Amino acid sequence: KTKKNMEKSKFYAMALLMPIALQSTASCSSDNEDSPNNPPVPVVCPTSSTTRAISESSNDMAFPFLDKVCAQHKPTENFIVSPLSLTEVLVMLSNGAKGETLNQINALLGTKDIPLEEQNSAISAINQYLISADSKTNVAIANSQWIDDELKVKDEYVQTNAKWLNAETRNQNLATEKTMNDINSWCDKNTQGCIKKILDEPLPDDCRLGLINALYFKGMWSQKFDKDRTTEEDFTNCDGSKSKVKMMHLGENFLAYEGKDIDMVEFDYGNKKFCMDVILPHEGKKLDECLK
């Protein structure tokens, strides 16, 4: 086997997630059920200037990120993006970068004035909060780094990603069917079986490093929908066609917004640490226009 020129090698970043939007609210306490033998343990929302900066930059990336993916996606298919996953993967990559490469990553993340050690600490704090903020909601965040046998990686890089981002490390020949199966198994395991695989064929011969983030979310509505009120109705698709779908109904007080082109309503999960914002274009308004 010929050793590949490192300048021509490829880096693959993969982000896996459940089909539901994940968003943290401003509330910062836990609702852990208490008992005489199990007193409540407060979960403190990280509020340092660095964690705020990381959170805000991730949010700032969300809509440009969505716009880029939307522009390249088939209009007849659904898709989802995760700014949090992108942030995690880019911070892992930053730990092995320097010079102009690091500058470009920091420019995208909005972290050019934040030392790497502080970025790592902030991501670690955010992850710990998200997975424990709501005892009624199941959130899991997993990272992994897949290193090809031919790539010499400094121990410091591997250890940094393992320490701060809890990244699992695999060293093996990446361009093999075994690695493809191993990656798919990792995805299956870390999304609770919801994403069985992300690779249909082995990685290319010149792939030397793969960084993967998996985000799993399962939440119960704070105000539950009555199954008996679910009915089959017409849903209007982007192209104007109609599909019969099951629609839920609920009459309650929700945080809502009525704008020039859209209406929006916010549905809380669990103890209201997480929520889903649903946006509906006004009659005659195209979804693409509203996204802009």
Side-chain angles (χ1 to χ4, degrees):
K1 187 193 297 185
T2 341
K3 203 166 182 76
K4 300 291 189 302
N5 185 324
M6 281 308 300
E7 292 180 357
K8 296 182 179 178
S9 65
K10 293 182 180 177
F11 158 75
Y12 284 77
M14 291 165 270
L16 314 177
L17 58 161
M18 276 290 295
I20 200 162
L22 175 64
Q23 177 181 328
S24 176
T25 66
S27 182
C28 299
S29 61
S30 172
D31 73 333
N32 289 320
E33 296 180 4
D34 58 316
S35 69
N37 299 321
N38 183 31
V41 179
V43 178
V44 181
C45 180
T47 56
S48 72
S49 59
T50 304
T51 54
R52 285 200 302 271
I54 293 286
S55 297
E56 289 170 5
S57 66
S58 184
N59 290 336
D60 288 342
M61 281 196 303
F63 289 100
F65 183 23
L66 174 64
D67 187 51
K68 292 289 186 183
V69 177
C70 192
Q72 301 176 40
H73 209 274
K74 294 180 180 178
T76 55
E77 294 181 356
N78 296 319
F79 70 93
I80 187 168
V81 299
S82 171
L84 175 65
S85 297
L86 179 60
T87 298
E88 304 246 346
V89 168
L90 288 175
V91 171
M92 282 198 288
L93 185 60
S94 294
N95 288 324
K98 63 180 181 180
E100 185 57 23
T101 301
L102 181 58
N103 290 337
Q104 289 181 1
I105 296 172
N106 281 332
L108 177 60
L109 287 174
T111 53
K112 60 185 179 69
D113 297 323
I114 304 175
L116 262 178
E117 186 174 348
E118 290 185 25
Q119 292 184 41
N120 282 301
S121 178
I123 285 291
S124 177
I126 290 169
N127 286 351
Q128 288 302 310
Y129 173 69
L130 291 176
I131 64 177
S132 56
D134 185 351
S135 63
K136 298 177 182 177
T137 301
N138 185 0
V139 178
I141 300 170
N143 292 301
S144 60
Q145 44 192 346
W146 301 71
I147 304 169
D148 189 79
D149 290 335
E150 292 189 358
L151 181 64
K152 298 296 183 183
V153 177
K154 293 181 178 180
D155 290 341
E156 181 184 359
Y157 172 75
V158 174
Q159 292 165 5
T160 297
N161 283 340
K163 175 183 177 181
W164 295 111
L165 291 110
N166 200 28
E168 181 181 347
T169 304
R170 300 284 188 93
N171 293 91
Q172 55 197 80
N173 185 344
L174 297 190
T176 63
E177 190 166 333
K178 179 184 183 306
T179 297
M180 176 190 72
N181 292 333
D182 288 345
I183 289 176
N184 286 335
S185 294
W186 188 90
C187 300
D188 184 25
K189 173 186 174 184
N190 286 286
T191 59
Q192 307 290 318
C194 293
I195 298 178
K196 298 293 183 184
K197 64 177 183 177
I198 59 170
L199 296 177
D200 292 316
E201 56 186 33
L203 293 168
D205 287 339
D206 56 357
C207 178
R208 289 294 174 266
L209 176 66
L211 300 178
I212 310 179
N213 169 272
L215 171 61
Y216 175 84
F217 178 92
K218 183 177 181 180
M220 302 296 291
W221 298 118
S222 297
Q223 294 166 292
K224 295 182 180 179
F225 289 83
D226 186 346
K227 289 183 179 180
D228 292 336
R229 295 189 64 190
T230 298
T231 57
E232 194 172 78
E233 299 178 28
D234 286 333
F235 181 85
T236 304
N237 303 301
C238 287
D239 60 4
S241 63
K242 295 184 183 296
S243 303
K244 287 289 185 182
V245 301
K246 292 181 178 180
M247 291 196 183
M248 302 183 294
H249 295 263
L250 177 65
E252 292 285 354
N253 291 319
F254 292 98
L255 187 63
Y257 165 79
E258 183 177 355
K260 177 185 175 184
D261 299 322
I262 63 168
D263 293 329
M264 182 168 69
V265 65
E266 190 166 275
F267 298 96
D268 291 317
Y269 294 103
N271 66 4
K272 302 185 179 182
K273 298 299 186 298
F274 300 98
C275 64
M276 172 188 279
D277 291 340
V278 179
I279 298 170
L280 177 68
H282 286 175
E283 193 73 27
K285 295 293 182 180
K286 292 185 178 180
L287 181 60
D288 287 347
E289 296 172 356
C290 296
L291 287 175
K292 285 181 171 57

